Amino acid sequence: MSEKFHFDTNKYIEIYRDGLLNDVVPFWLKHSIDREKGGFLFCLNRDGSVIAEDKPIWIHGRFVWLLSTLYSNVEQKAEWIETAKHGLDFLRKYAFDTDGRMFFTVTRDGKPLRKRRYIFSETFMIMALAAYSKATGDKQAAAEALDLFKKVVMYTNTPGFLPPKVNPETRPAQGLGVNMILINVGQELRQVTDDPFVNEWIDKSIENIEKYFLKEEFKAVLEMVGPNGEFYDTLEGRQLNPGHGIEAGWFILHEGKVRNNEHYKQLGLKIIDYMWQWGWDKEYGGIIYFRDARNLPVTEYWSDMKFWWPQNEAIIATLLAYDVTKDEKYALMHQQIHDWAYQYFPDKEFGEWYGYLHRDGRIMTPVKGNFWKGPFHLPRMLYYCWQLLK
Amino acid sequence: MSEKFHFDTNKYIEIYRDGLLNDVVPFWLKHSIDREKGGFLFCLNRDGSVIAEDKPIWIHGRFVWLLSTLYSNVEQKAEWIETAKHGLDFLRKYAFDTDGRMFFTVTRDGKPLRKRRYIFSETFMIMALAAYSKATGDKQAAAEALDLFKKVVMYTNTPGFLPPKVNPETRPAQGLGVNMILINVGQELRQVTDDPFVNEWIDKSIENIEKYFLKEEFKAVLEMVGPNGEFYDTLEGRQLNPGHGIEAGWFILHEGKVRNNEHYKQLGLKIIDYMWQWGWDKEYGGIIYFRDARNLPVTEYWSDMKFWWPQNEAIIATLLAYDVTKDEKYALMHQQIHDWAYQYFPDKEFGEWYGYLHRDGRIMTPVKGNFWKGPFHLPRMLYYCWQLLK
């Protein structure tokens, strides 16, 4: 394999950089800014036309994070930081409830629609504030970010503070998602604060994942376990989300790389390896949405679909694994997922990527954005991979 | 068309009767009864083996309703009424919270897992109690059913009693589902009570659907509107569920037939016609899950799938429409949906139907039961159509 192998760095740099700067960021800048009411309109049809005006708060945080990060690390383009501020203004004005928690969706003019039990509006607000602070030197934003991070840690560690989905007396549970997001948010927040609380929670979250969610008997990270890592042999307890696991893997691998921590590196690589095995669709290619840890049939309706974001996370994870290990295995995995994703997801006519494909790559819905898809996983992939290869 | 047309009543009677008595009811009796802990295990793999032990309460109510109804109207088989009692015992013991509301799921041994904002556990408990009372003469069950019906009417008509999904100050909303289910539950409850409250709420629910949900400008019934029928031009406001609408249509048509009410008949037929137009998939056949009232792309992930129950409801609706009108148009629609459904859904090896197919009829997951699919839509279709044709 080795003698034939050639990793074409320049090819990938070009694809990721040009995709980011000439396709994806311009698509959202052109179509999503709500100049009349503030914030962004993210529910977009294939051509960028608006199909609904309700506003998802967490996608606002994600776009502010993206634009601020590009401003700091790529180029000090006025349009980027002005648009980040445009989003942050809307968030500060309309995204918080009187109890300090954040809404999930608001109307076009900022009236509250839904507040959920999840803390993802908060976590992406922290990332937005941290990145904006780094880009502009706004110390107040950094302080707000740290304060909100401490609140999220309190919310998620105070039993009963967030209403649980399932009765905690019958089936106490913890989710992978909260641990993952604290790692990623901590990594962003650390750029504007040296409060040791941040690294403490990154470390604690990684420890939780290793101790409670990683299961050698399944060679997988689970999505939901008991407080001491108990495996629940239920539909939810067995449900694997390979794209999510791969994302957790690269967050941990990234932490290992940044802090030169060999244990984190090995843990991240193991998680990526395990979840790639579960996720890669040997029949059609691409990363599948759900699997069952005991290989029983899944029942969630979109289980065998190909969403955009698991492909984005797998492209980052395999490239980062190659970067850290120089093991050609990862370069080949990267090529494999890159080629599959680029065959089916890009919209060659209107730009950006489709989000929701059937298992075999056919388009299920052509929308470019909704309450879940916006300018985040794809542009983060393009940015992260480009920077890694540069 | 007419001279060639022949409706083969005997063929359909045989398919529906034999399907009910020799396939579907035996499948569930064989696989779902939990003799150790009580109640039923409904999360079943293709072959009837149990894939998860958590128990959905509403499916318990549905199975008790089915078995009691068959006992009353088909044959006084001891196994049917004993199994109905087995289910009802579990429901009475474990399904109610201390506040009188019902759980959505409990563990195998009856410990509460989830309680939801919906009242569907309650409505199917009413149907179970009413049918069981009719089958056995148990007056107490009839009284419990009527009492619970009054509670459900109170729950759903007291603003703020059930926590709303979306902030009602920003976007007050009402759903088609509650109105539909009150019609159907009322129709069952009426068999064991002559309290005029029941027909009042059937009439009021039909009136609500006609006044608020039926929209001539879309030739559709909407799923969610404002308190005075306001159309919300949002993803949720435009989301059409043709199978659900067709089900509402036949509930109303049935009411028109039973009470010889011409207006209800015409209303039911109109709704069936409208929603068939939205639902029938001209490319692949079958009733599709979601459409958008403005023909914009849908974003719910399973929008283009073929679930078992919309096909069941369409088979009932078209046959009932033919029965009421003698218009061959409906006989042909019935044949069309019958043929499509019977081509793809039955599991010829292990019996019963698959529940979740891709748009083109390929199987997405082979499970026979979960928290949503159980012994209800399919056996109700087989029973209702058989009785209609007899």
Side-chain angles (χ1 to χ4, degrees), chain A residues 54 112-113 167 170-171 298 365, chain B residues 54 112-113 167 170-171 298 365:
Chain A
D54 291 345
L113 286 169
N167 188 321
T170 305
R171 184 169 297 157
V298 290
T365 177
Chain B
D54 291 344
L113 285 169
N167 189 320
T170 304
R171 184 169 297 157
V298 292
T365 178

Side-chain angles (χ1 to χ4, degrees), chain A residues 297-341:
Chain A
V298 290
T299 81
E300 202 65 84
Y301 312 145
W302 59 96
S303 296
D304 75 350
M305 287 177 68
K306 304 286 164 58
F307 283 31
W308 83 106
W309 68 264
Q311 327 307 324
N312 296 148
E313 299 311 316
I315 288 172
I316 296 178
T318 50
L319 191 64
L320 179 60
Y322 179 53
D323 171 70
V324 169
T325 65
K326 312 298 175 205
D327 184 341
E328 286 172 12
K329 170 182 95 169
Y330 293 114
L332 290 168
M333 285 159 66
H334 172 261
Q335 187 181 311
Q336 196 178 343
I337 182 64
H338 173 98
D339 288 350
W340 194 87

Side-chain angles (χ1 to χ4, degrees), chain A residues 46-250:
Chain A
R46 192 189 156 193
D47 61 1
S49 59
V50 174
I51 59 171
E53 297 183 342
D54 291 345
K55 291 174 173 169
I57 292 299
W58 70 324
I59 314 279
H60 279 69
R62 287 168 157 203
F63 198 23
V64 173
W65 169 82
L66 176 72
L67 293 167
S68 302
T69 299
L70 296 181
Y71 183 85
S72 291
N73 301 337
V74 173
E75 191 189 335
Q76 298 207 331
K77 285 185 76 164
E79 187 186 16
W80 289 347
I81 202 66
E82 283 162 12
T83 307
K85 183 172 184 306
H86 172 87
L88 200 58
D89 287 346
F90 188 86
L91 286 167
R92 282 176 163 153
K93 196 159 175 188
Y94 298 116
F96 286 88
D97 199 356
T98 49
D99 63 0
R101 284 219 51 223
M102 294 180 75
F103 297 113
F104 176 66
T105 45
V106 299
T107 59
R108 186 174 176 193
D109 52 3
K111 292 200 189 77
L113 286 169
R114 292 188 70 188
K115 189 160 88 173
R116 304 189 74 173
R117 56 167 72 88
Y118 316 115
I119 41 68
F120 297 108
S121 292
E122 281 85 348
T123 54
F124 289 100
M125 181 75 186
I126 299 166
M127 285 175 61
L129 286 163
Y132 184 79
S133 172
K134 190 181 172 212
T136 60
D138 177 341
K139 299 278 179 215
Q140 171 63 22
E144 285 172 50
L146 182 61
D147 179 60
L148 196 52
F149 184 79
K150 289 181 176 176
K151 278 187 184 152
V152 165
V153 168
M154 184 275 281
Y155 297 159
T156 53
N157 287 278
T158 306
F161 188 92
L162 301 170
K165 187 166 172 177
V166 168
N167 188 321
E169 286 174 38
T170 305
R171 184 169 297 157
Q174 56 172 328
L176 179 65
V178 169
N179 290 287
M180 276 174 67
I181 199 69
L182 287 181
I183 300 170
N184 192 221
V185 169
Q187 288 166 342
E188 294 298 323
L189 181 56
R190 199 162 52 188
Q191 300 182 79
V192 291
T193 177
D194 53 11
D195 190 320
F197 187 80
V198 179
N199 268 3
E200 271 167 37
W201 278 92
I202 291 175
D203 290 336
K204 189 168 163 50
S205 302
I206 295 175
E207 192 190 324
N208 284 348
I209 292 174
E210 183 173 19
K211 196 167 162 190
Y212 299 131
F213 293 88
L214 179 65
K215 300 292 179 195
E216 290 297 332
E217 64 266 43
F218 300 118
K219 293 191 181 302
V221 280
L222 301 179
E223 285 290 313
M224 185 272 277
V225 295
N228 297 304
E230 296 89 340
F231 168 62
Y232 290 123
D233 195 359
T234 63
L235 298 179
E236 300 85 357
R238 295 198 305 268
Q239 193 177 66
L240 304 179
N241 185 329
H244 210 214
I246 288 168
E247 189 181 9
W250 82 253

Side-chain angles (χ1 to χ4, degrees), chain B residues 9-210:
Chain B
T9 305
N10 288 331
K11 178 190 95 171
Y12 288 118
I13 286 182
E14 203 173 297
I15 290 172
Y16 297 140
R17 183 196 57 214
D18 293 357
L20 181 71
L21 302 180
N22 303 333
D23 173 14
V24 175
V25 172
F27 180 92
W28 294 100
L29 286 174
K30 181 172 177 193
H31 298 295
S32 75
I33 304 173
D34 185 352
R35 304 211 180 273
E36 198 183 324
K37 305 278 187 176
F40 306 107
L41 294 159
F42 287 127
C43 296
L44 304 181
N45 207 338
R46 192 189 155 191
D47 61 1
S49 58
V50 174
I51 59 170
E53 298 182 342
D54 291 344
K55 291 174 173 168
I57 291 300
W58 71 325
I59 313 279
H60 279 69
R62 288 169 157 203
F63 198 23
V64 173
W65 169 83
L66 176 72
L67 292 166
S68 303
T69 299
L70 297 181
Y71 183 84
S72 291
N73 301 338
V74 174
E75 192 190 332
Q76 298 207 331
K77 285 185 75 162
E79 186 187 17
W80 289 348
I81 202 66
E82 283 162 11
T83 308
K85 183 174 184 304
H86 172 86
L88 200 58
D89 288 347
F90 188 86
L91 285 168
R92 282 175 163 154
K93 195 159 176 188
Y94 298 116
F96 287 88
D97 199 357
T98 49
D99 63 0
R101 285 221 50 224
M102 295 181 74
F103 298 112
F104 175 67
T105 44
V106 299
T107 59
R108 186 175 174 192
D109 52 2
K111 291 200 191 77
L113 285 169
R114 291 187 72 187
K115 190 160 86 171
R116 305 188 74 174
R117 56 167 72 89
Y118 315 116
I119 41 68
F120 295 109
S121 292
E122 281 86 349
T123 55
F124 289 100
M125 181 76 187
I126 300 167
M127 286 176 61
L129 287 163
Y132 184 79
S133 172
K134 188 180 174 212
T136 61
D138 177 342
K139 298 278 180 217
Q140 171 63 22
E144 284 172 51
L146 182 60
D147 179 60
L148 196 52
F149 184 78
K150 290 181 176 177
K151 276 187 186 152
V152 166
V153 168
M154 184 276 282
Y155 296 160
T156 53
N157 287 278
T158 307
F161 188 91
L162 300 169
K165 188 166 172 178
V166 167
N167 189 320
E169 285 175 40
T170 304
R171 184 169 297 157
Q174 55 173 328
L176 178 65
V178 169
N179 290 288
M180 277 174 67
I181 199 70
L182 287 181
I183 301 170
N184 192 221
V185 169
Q187 288 166 342
E188 294 297 324
L189 181 56
R190 200 163 51 188
Q191 302 183 79
V192 293
T193 177
D194 53 10
D195 190 320
F197 187 81
V198 178
N199 269 3
E200 270 168 37
W201 277 92
I202 290 176
D203 290 335
K204 190 168 161 53
S205 300
I206 295 174
E207 191 191 326
N208 283 348
I209 292 173
E210 183 173 19

